[in-house]
Amino acid sequence: MTLDEIAALAARFFDAIEAGDVAAVADCYADEVAIWHNTDRQIETKADNVKTLSGFIRHIPTRRYADRRLTVYPGGFVQQHLLVGVRPDGKRVELPACLVCAVAGGKITRLDEYFDSEQVAAWAR
């Protein structure tokens, strides 16, 4: 993949989450994608992550990625951002994050997601 193709994949991925389009997110993943979170150090499968994302979209019906800082390189990308959401009760929540993704064949093959655990706890409250 060219760097422009990798950047386009990253944009498509994050735009799909913002739009709540879980099918489009799933389409960005390779079938055997491994999705890891620093907060629990567990690896999710594609099916598990799609289920997680569906719940996230229900609980945070309005969301956007602010301050996107994308760096692409051969074989992947890193994005730092501020995830801003509004819960159904109207409360605004923010979560700074960093994602490191490996890509091949036009798909994300591995995603490592880093959150500050204290911020995740505040998000959940």
Side-chain angles (χ1 to χ4, degrees), residues 27-82:
D27 189 53
C28 292
Y29 289 145
D31 288 340
E32 300 303 318
V33 66
I35 299 153
W36 178 87
H37 306 99
N38 72 302
T39 53
D40 63 8
R41 298 188 211 173
Q42 300 296 310
I43 293 179
E44 280 187 322
T45 65
K46 182 177 182 175
D48 291 338
N49 188 255
V50 166
K51 184 177 177 182
T52 298
L53 275 173
S54 295
F56 167 69
I57 288 165
R58 271 193 315 279
H59 290 96
I60 309 293
T62 302
R63 74 218 138 265
R64 68 182 173 84
Y65 291 97
D67 303 325
R68 294 186 192 192
R69 294 178 307 280
L70 179 68
T71 302
V72 297
Y73 52 86
F77 65 89
V78 173
Q79 180 169 295
Q80 294 173 272
H81 55 253
L82 180 64

Side-chain angles (χ1 to χ4, degrees), residues 104-119:
K107 305 284 184 178
I108 297 169
T109 58
R110 181 168 178 103
L111 184 152
D112 294 307
E113 191 165 39
Y114 296 89
F115 299 123
D116 177 334
S117 59
E118 184 176 321
Q119 295 291 325

